[in-house]
Amino acid sequence: MQLSNGIKIPSIGFGTALANKEPAITSVKKAISLGYRLIDTAAAYNNEECVGTAIKECSIDRKDLLITSKLWNDDHGYDSTLKALELTLKKLDFDYLDIYLIHWPNPLKFRAEGYEKRNAESWKAMEELYAAKKIRAIGVSNFMPHHLDALLKTATVQPMINQIRMHPGHAQKETVAYCKERNILIEAYSPLGGTGGDLLTKPLIQELSKKYQVSVSQLCIRWCLQMGIVPLPKSVNPIRIEENFNVFGFEINEEDMNALANMPDDAKGLPHPDEARF
Ligand code: A2P
């Protein structure tokens, strides 16, 4: 797959939310040894140092990996974005980052003043960091069409990625259509329904996993791939890390793809981006 600026991006990545300390280091190393080349972290995950350590200790060249991090909600604004990226690079111990995303569009801290101005300021800083080659690609996360509409009013560089929560039972059709029209690549976090969710036990998922003779997680990840979305499954378990990468030997037919896309919306755990209390 390719970003709008020509950068090649793997069709599947590795999520690290909620992974910390030793498990974060060992799981990232395991993922890289199995072939994952896109690793997703964030300032808010509190594991950037661990990801940096894993990358230093793995046997793959830094330039052959794509590392994503994200600007946290408290750091929106021009100066604070510049500082936040500097801190992220320091924690990762990198001199450049591959992908940097605004983590959430509408932080509680700045909500009273309206999200548009802060996002425009953060974006200006990110455009400058991109021009200075400190970041190879810039994007957003959890942005809905109205957040993107506002950002695009002042942006001179269009976001290359929008990372959203997406899985069967949360197909985010409007946001996906909006981004596809504008050549903004979608990444799916929580492709398995997220920690604490019950997606993997739903009858349709169970039934189709039997039909295709794959695990329930493989079915969900494959659905993202066939939607043209880059899934970012997270796991700290070596067997699951391998299972989640082994999704290239089967194909879901059109009827089943549609059935998965049309499951009743059920995204447990995370709030609407405009109502998040953080
Ligand atoms: P663990 O890290 O212990 O494997 P998502 O990527 O949708 O946010 O889901 C992450 C959650 O799903 C984590 O709790 C993770 O736990 C679990 N998980 C990851 N891979 C699998 C798998 N193959 N089968 C079942 N659960 C999984």
Side-chain angles (χ1 to χ4, degrees):
M1 300 189 93
Q2 194 163 302
L3 299 180
S4 57
N5 67 344
I7 287 190
K8 293 216 167 16
I9 180 164
S11 54
I12 179 169
F14 185 65
T16 67
L18 303 180
N20 289 105
K21 304 200 172 102
E22 206 47 40
I25 300 174
T26 45
S27 61
V28 170
K29 280 166 77 173
K30 177 73 187 174
I32 293 172
S33 77
L34 287 165
Y36 290 85
R37 293 290 176 265
L38 171 66
I39 311 292
D40 189 83
T41 179
Y45 301 167
N46 218 5
N47 63 12
E48 287 170 313
E49 282 108 335
C50 303
V51 172
T53 302
I55 285 156
K56 219 171 281 159
E57 291 177 2
C58 78
S59 54
I60 299 296
D61 258 18
R62 166 73 185 89
K63 66 168 176 36
D64 295 326
L65 297 166
L66 272 91
I67 314 302
T68 303
S69 193
K70 312 188 193 83
L71 175 75
W72 184 237
N73 293 0
D74 294 348
D75 296 325
H76 283 211
Y78 180 82
D79 289 331
S80 26
T81 299
L82 296 179
K83 278 197 201 112
L85 191 266
E86 206 175 302
L87 187 60
T88 278
L89 289 175
K90 195 169 159 209
K91 288 187 170 174
L92 287 160
D93 198 15
F94 292 169
D95 51 12
Y96 72 93
L97 185 66
D98 299 279
I99 299 169
Y100 200 41
L101 311 177
I102 300 181
H103 205 152
W104 288 88
N106 192 358
L108 182 62
K109 184 175 171 184
F110 305 116
R111 194 162 299 158
E113 66 186 62
Y115 59 81
E116 295 89 344
K117 186 167 158 281
R118 287 266 171 184
N119 281 341
E121 287 172 4
S122 301
W123 194 251
K124 185 167 183 291
M126 287 169 62
E127 288 177 335
E128 288 179 15
L129 292 162
Y130 174 63
K133 301 199 183 326
K134 280 284 171 195
I135 314 171
R136 295 177 66 218
I138 50 179
V140 295
S141 180
N142 294 300
F143 273 50
M144 298 172 77
H146 60 284
H147 306 119
L148 282 161
D149 275 340
L151 191 77
L152 290 173
K153 281 191 186 145
T154 53
T156 56
V157 178
Q158 187 183 270
M160 290 138 205
I161 291 177
N162 186 13
Q163 182 183 127
I164 56 175
R165 175 168 176 173
M166 195 175 153
H167 48 77
H170 196 47
Q172 300 241 38
K173 288 182 183 169
E174 275 178 31
T175 302
V176 171
Y178 182 103
C179 290
K180 289 214 158 165
E181 247 170 53
R182 290 162 182 80
N183 197 18
I184 300 172
L185 182 118
I186 301 259
E187 292 181 333
Y189 72 83
S190 291
L192 309 178
T195 305
D198 60 0
L199 174 65
L200 303 182
T201 64
K202 301 254 176 186
L204 180 64
I205 302 288
Q206 298 269 334
E207 180 199 317
L208 293 180
S209 94
K210 287 193 192 85
K211 173 173 171 181
Y212 290 99
Q213 298 187 312
V214 294
S215 74
V216 281
S217 66
Q218 288 168 329
L219 181 85
C220 293
I221 293 167
R222 180 74 204 181
W223 178 78
C224 283
L225 289 178
Q226 288 185 218
M227 292 285 287
I229 307 290
V230 174
L232 305 171
K234 174 262 166 187
S235 180
V236 290
N237 175 312
I239 294 168
R240 290 169 170 180
I241 295 173
E242 183 163 12
E243 176 187 332
N244 296 345
F245 196 64
N246 191 7
V247 286
F248 298 95
F250 71 105
E251 186 157 350
I252 305 171
N253 72 28
E254 198 181 331
E255 188 188 341
D256 294 335
M257 283 296 293
N258 289 335
L260 291 165
N262 292 323
M263 281 173 72
D265 202 76
D266 184 9
K268 289 198 178 65
L270 272 181
H272 186 286
D274 289 324
E275 286 154 20
R277 308 296 301 161
F278 49 79

